[in-house]
Amino acid sequence: MQLDFADVLAVTPSWIDEFLALLIDHVGLQQVELLPTTNPSVVATLHVLAEAEEEPVADLAKQFLQTLQQR
């Protein structure tokens, strides 16, 4: 499942954390991909989640940030 946040105006860490946690529980971590985005709200939120050390959401956030750095 690919998630595209390109047209999202804003997200909060608590919302996206809960959303991703439930999605990962439902389909599995390997089935969730966050598509690259330059949306500042999404990028900042994923930085917060990557630091939270709450697996598997933090793992997904770290994977997304690594992808951005490689671009």
Side-chain angles (χ1 to χ4, degrees), residues 2-3 9-10 22 27 31-32 38 42 58 60-61 67-68 70:
Q2 295 179 324
L3 302 176
L9 295 178
L22 290 171
V27 300
Q31 300 301 318
V32 179
T38 57
V42 173
L60 185 61
T67 301
L68 281 186
Q70 293 173 355

Side-chain angles (χ1 to χ4, degrees), residues 24-43:
I24 290 167
D25 283 347
H26 185 70
V27 300
L29 179 61
Q30 300 303 321
Q31 300 301 318
V32 179
E33 177 185 4
L34 304 179
L35 295 178
T37 183
T38 57
N39 181 314
S41 177
V42 173
V43 173

